[in-house]
């Protein structure tokens, strides 16, 4: 009789463990999907910049200006994003 209780308890513990593992899997999967989406947005923006002649030229100008310390990286990024999103 005591042996049966131990087996039942083991099944209960296994179910609890499995539910924790599955929950953690889905929580991690949600986080991965959000990270993947963010990465894809960045890639899409970069693609738009690289494949638009005016944007590509602006980015090269901003790269040069930042390298020569004529403009801050923040200012350069604002100019690029302003042109990209508000042209």
């Amino acid at each position: 009789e005591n042996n049966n209780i131990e087996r039942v308890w083991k099944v209960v513990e296994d179910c609890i463990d499995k539910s924790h593992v599955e929950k953690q899997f889905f929580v991690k999967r949600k986080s991965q999907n959000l990270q993947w989406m963010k990465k894809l947005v960045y890639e899409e923006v970069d693609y738009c910049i690289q494949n638009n002649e005016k944007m590509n030229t602006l980015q090269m100008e901003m790269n040069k200006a930042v390298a020569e310390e004529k403009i801050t990286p923040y200012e350069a990024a604002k100019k690029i994003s302003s042109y990209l999103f508000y042209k």
Side-chain angles (χ1 to χ4, degrees):
E1 186 177 319
N2 191 24
N3 192 22
N4 287 339
I5 292 174
E6 289 176 5
R7 282 194 283 172
V8 168
W9 185 247
K10 176 70 173 140
V11 169
V12 169
E13 286 179 327
D14 289 346
C15 287
I16 291 170
D17 289 345
K18 184 178 179 184
S19 71
H20 287 317
V21 168
E22 287 177 359
K23 182 178 179 184
Q24 289 173 355
F25 172 83
F26 289 112
V27 167
K28 186 171 184 172
R29 184 69 180 157
K30 286 180 184 181
S31 174
Q32 288 171 332
N33 282 337
L34 291 171
Q35 289 172 355
W36 187 28
M37 181 195 70
K38 192 174 186 178
K39 182 178 184 296
L40 291 170
V41 168
Y42 290 142
E43 288 176 3
E44 284 294 318
V45 169
D46 188 53
Y47 179 83
C48 289
I49 292 170
Q50 299 305 320
N51 290 289
N52 178 298
E53 189 176 334
K54 288 181 182 180
M55 287 300 304
N56 198 2
T57 300
L58 178 61
Q59 184 181 33
M60 288 189 303
E61 290 171 359
M62 293 298 101
N63 287 347
K64 182 179 180 191
V66 169
E68 294 173 355
E69 298 181 349
K70 293 181 179 177
I71 190 171
T72 67
Y74 176 79
E75 292 169 321
K78 289 300 278 183
K79 284 186 179 189
I80 292 170
S81 65
S82 290
Y83 185 84
L84 182 63
F85 298 114
Y86 307 110
K87 55 181 173 175

